[in-house]
Amino acid sequence: DAGITQSPRHKVTETGTPVTLRCHQTENHRYMYWYRQDPGHGLRLIHYSYGVKDTDKGEVSDGYSVSRSKTEDFLLTLESATSSQTSVYFCAISSGTSGTDTQYFGPGTRLTVL
Amino acid sequence: AQTVTQSQPEMSVQEAETVTLSCTYDTSENNYYLFWYKQPPSRQMILVIRQEAYKQQNATENRFSVNFQKAAKSFSLKISDSQLGDTAMYFCAFMNYNNNDMRFGAGTRLTVKP
């Protein structure tokens, strides 16, 4: 399962509150990713990281920020949650060193913004 | 931007029969990867099979095989001897050789009937 955990697994929050989701990996992978999954859209990339303190935007980055202060942890923050950010969030790692190898996914976090 | 289209939102198949899921993609690149992921009700994203565009030979993994038609930009998944445990959402995904932006199709919900 590539040693990926996500926390929390479920969260309900209110509009306007900050939310941080955590992705933790145990196998020292360089590349980490955050996706969101919505009906009819498959998975869409939010942000990714290619090393400690090195991050870049994906297809749907507006309203999200990320941080990676340690190799094993990649945090996704919603500074002020909105109902449109209700989704299932997946973290992933790349199995290789270039970032273009197979991605393996964590178990997902279901976030509901009321 | 690359797009991935799965034209069959839902499909069903009888246990032990064969089913083919369709996927087409749009790109101007020559070097890329294609993937099929399975998402059972547990929500975990599981890699089924991977194809590298420069390889002419179709990838196979046990009961799963692909028909990769590069000129037609088509990447279908064939499941042989379908089993009840194959019931899941199946996502086709595309990734350029030179970047980290994996694009997913909207998915096909497959039901295997006893």
Side-chain angles (χ1 to χ4, degrees):
Chain A
D1 63 357
I4 306 167
T5 58
Q6 294 184 229
S7 59
R9 295 293 311 280
H10 299 87
K11 186 171 182 65
V12 179
T13 191
E14 294 189 350
T15 298
T17 60
V19 176
T20 295
L21 308 183
R22 179 182 183 236
C23 178
H24 179 79
Q25 53 124 342
T26 60
E27 299 182 1
N28 209 36
H29 295 289
R30 179 183 174 194
Y31 283 81
M32 299 182 74
Y33 307 81
W34 276 109
Y35 290 88
R36 61 177 289 173
Q37 182 179 23
D38 304 292
H41 288 280
L43 276 72
R44 291 179 292 174
L45 182 66
I46 304 171
H47 283 279
Y48 70 95
S49 169
Y50 48 97
V52 173
K53 291 185 170 39
D54 293 324
T55 65
D56 206 349
K57 296 179 179 180
E59 182 186 2
V60 290
S61 60
D62 287 348
Y64 301 95
S65 62
V66 290
S67 64
R68 193 167 178 200
S69 59
K70 299 185 290 184
T71 298
E72 58 265 36
D73 289 326
F74 190 33
L75 304 181
L76 176 71
T77 297
L78 292 64
E79 300 290 348
S80 177
T82 66
S83 59
S84 65
Q85 294 175 312
T86 292
S87 187
V88 179
Y89 291 86
F90 285 94
C91 174
I93 60 93
S94 175
S95 59
T97 58
S98 68
T100 55
D101 291 289
T102 301
Q103 293 185 16
Y104 295 91
F105 290 82
T109 294
R110 181 176 294 278
L111 175 67
T112 302
V113 183
L114 301 176
Chain B
Q2 288 78 20
T3 58
V4 179
T5 302
Q6 294 179 247
S7 59
Q8 305 149 316
E10 295 189 19
M11 295 190 71
S12 63
V13 63
Q14 291 296 132
E15 195 174 8
E17 297 294 310
T18 295
V19 64
T20 298
L21 308 183
S22 300
C23 174
T24 59
Y25 57 94
D26 183 28
T27 184
S28 58
E29 302 292 332
N30 192 48
N31 295 318
Y32 49 87
Y33 301 95
L34 294 161
F35 306 87
W36 279 98
Y37 283 90
K38 168 186 177 180
Q39 187 179 42
S42 67
R43 206 170 64 201
Q44 179 73 48
M45 291 288 288
I46 303 165
L47 177 69
V48 175
I49 204 164
R50 159 190 160 127
Q51 175 81 41
E52 291 151 4
Y54 69 88
K55 290 186 176 179
Q56 292 187 339
Q57 186 173 5
N58 289 324
T60 63
E61 286 290 342
N62 301 314
R63 297 183 295 108
F64 299 88
S65 61
V66 297
N67 183 6
F68 173 46
Q69 301 289 329
K70 191 172 184 180
K73 297 179 182 176
S74 170
F75 183 61
S76 61
L77 175 69
K78 185 173 81 170
I79 306 174
S80 304
D81 186 25
S82 296
Q83 301 175 0
L84 296 178
D86 295 334
T87 291
M89 283 288 288
Y90 286 82
F91 292 96
C92 178
F94 168 100
M95 183 166 63
N96 263 336
Y97 187 76
N98 291 321
N99 69 41
N100 294 278
D101 190 358
M102 182 179 283
R103 297 294 173 114
F104 287 81
T108 295
R109 184 177 302 279
L110 176 67
T111 301
V112 179
K113 298 180 178 179

